[in-house]
Amino acid sequence: MGEVGDDTDYEGEFALIMANQSEDDYDEESGRVRDWVMGLPRSSELPPLNQSLVPPELASAFQIPPEPGHSAMEVDRASHQTFSSLRRNSQPVSNSNVKPFIPFNPSSHTPNHMASATADDADSTAGLDDPDQDQSARTLRRPRLVWTPQLHKRFVDVVSHLGLKNAVPKTIMQLMNVEGLTRENVASHLQKYRLYVKRMAGLSSEGPASPSDNSLFASTPVPQSFTRDSPQVPVPMSYAPVPGMYPVPVFGMGQHHHVNGHGHHGMGMGMGMGMMPITGGSHGSGGYGNGFGPSASYPHHVNHGDK
DNA sequence: CACAGAATAT
DNA sequence: CATATTCTGT
């Protein structure tokens, strides 16, 4: 809940949604970010950063105050600061502009709906313990990251930019510049991605007529260079920072699978709610309906954290 | 020790 | 199945 200090949307770029609780993570790194920033790309990749996309309804639901417009720079700085400071709730960033925002919804567990007043639970956490007291420190788990097509796209772009050889989690993570993305998230995805690439390498002709290839990977072309080696030179690439998205009320998804039915087109609610960003226009293919499978249900996303 | 990568676990 | 977490080796 909290604030959305910088939730500008990026043409609907990444939305990582995490379904669960947020967690602290100690990923702090800074370093060559500067370099990339300097060599910023043309405007091709830089969408308007200042629109607030939280629909009024959601905003009110989340108690998100109306957002002032931000400039790209502000947004950039804001996201960095926000997350940096977020880690340890102590120091506010010097800049008062940014407010710490908590990445996800509070509702983490909400395990028992009903009362289930089984005798036992009464004492443990019942009414005495303040849930929102401490404890937020380190025992919270990060919500599962959802690799939306947009995110994956960025991932692939970065990976192809570095040679396969240089494409290691940490670097990828840094270049992707998605707040909240952790090295682990990337490592895991990379593992799968490599597998996919490998698998595909064997199948040259297209052939996979399988309509079922909904896989996220299927939607994003694998750079040929992958099969062979691709020694990319140190060409710095830089991606615009990804603003944190807000926590969209994801319903049932998240931990428990069973999002919607299988074969049915499920997006009914799943994503609807979100706010898929608007913005029109820019990405021809960006969105959900496109790259993925027909009935893929898409979660949204959001994340937080910092590099 | 931090990291990458494979192996497991959820 | 998609991600996360754990385990190994460097």
Side-chain angles (χ1 to χ4, degrees):
Chain A
M1 38 224 256
E3 315 278 349
V4 186
D6 38 83
D7 30 67
T8 357
D9 158 87
Y10 239 33
E11 346 178 60
E13 276 237 321
F14 320 87
L16 318 147
I17 233 201
M18 322 254 244
N20 248 324
Q21 290 185 336
S22 69
E23 203 246 280
D24 278 70
D25 133 318
Y26 348 51
D27 247 80
E28 212 28 88
E29 167 100 5
S30 51
R32 341 158 81 163
V33 180
R34 286 278 295 185
D35 299 28
W36 314 317
V37 174
M38 303 231 48
L40 279 172
R42 286 290 125 190
S43 51
S44 51
E45 298 278 335
L46 306 170
L49 289 168
N50 3 343
Q51 12 193 52
S52 56
L53 348 134
V54 180
E57 286 187 42
L58 271 170
S60 62
F62 283 65
Q63 307 179 358
I64 297 171
E67 247 209 297
H70 289 291
S71 70
M73 275 185 58
E74 288 176 311
V75 171
D76 185 344
R77 276 217 305 166
S79 63
H80 285 156
Q81 295 181 338
T82 296
F83 282 97
S84 308
S85 62
L86 212 185
R87 299 304 82 181
R88 224 349 199 184
N89 57 352
S90 14
Q91 351 326 294
V93 181
S94 50
N95 188 342
S96 55
N97 206 346
V98 187
K99 305 160 139 203
F101 101 67
I102 294 160
F104 318 37
N105 4 331
S107 43
S108 41
H109 285 301
T110 317
N112 10 10
H113 284 331
M114 317 259 257
S116 65
T118 29
D120 56 336
D121 60 359
D123 59 328
S124 321
T125 19
L128 291 177
D129 242 34
D130 220 8
D132 37 68
Q133 192 33 346
D134 40 293
Q135 102 156 27
S136 37
R138 336 238 101 186
T139 325
L140 304 179
R141 257 192 316 245
R142 266 192 193 262
R144 270 173 81 106
L145 172 69
V146 174
W147 286 88
T148 60
Q150 281 83 357
L151 240 196
H152 178 65
K153 168 84 174 347
R154 199 136 168 168
F155 169 86
V156 172
D157 279 350
V158 170
V159 172
S160 64
H161 242 106
L162 309 160
L164 257 195
K165 199 176 172 177
N166 300 327
V168 295
K170 194 175 183 185
T171 307
I172 296 170
M173 177 193 78
Q174 290 171 150
L175 288 179
M176 284 179 72
N177 194 20
V178 172
E179 80 178 28
L181 236 202
T182 66
R183 187 170 54 83
E184 276 116 353
N185 290 140
V186 175
S188 184
H189 195 66
L190 181 62
Q191 182 178 16
K192 227 186 66 177
Y193 186 63
R194 283 173 171 158
L195 199 74
Y196 178 80
V197 171
K198 209 178 247 182
R199 239 170 102 32
M200 239 183 168
L203 322 168
S204 20
S205 314
E206 57 173 85
S210 349
S212 336
D213 55 341
N214 279 327
S215 134
L216 175 59
F217 297 140
S219 65
T220 319
V222 173
Q224 325 176 310
S225 3
F226 283 22
T227 242
R228 274 292 204 214
D229 56 50
S230 55
Q232 297 285 355
V233 262
V235 168
M237 83 179 278
S238 86
Y239 259 130
V242 132
M245 303 253 233
Y246 14 80
V248 163
V250 167
F251 325 161
M253 27 192 28
Q255 295 208 75
H256 309 106
H257 16 45
H258 291 175
V259 183
N260 341 333
H262 297 64
H264 300 169
H265 290 34
M267 22 195 20
M269 349 188 71
M271 50 184 334
M273 51 281 318
M275 28 242 285
M276 288 336 263
I278 5 203
T279 306
S282 314
H283 273 141
S285 41
Y288 293 94
N290 98 47
F292 249 32
S295 9
S297 33
Y298 277 92
H300 333 22
H301 41 283
V302 133
N303 48 211
H304 52 325
D306 182 355
K307 7 147 185 251

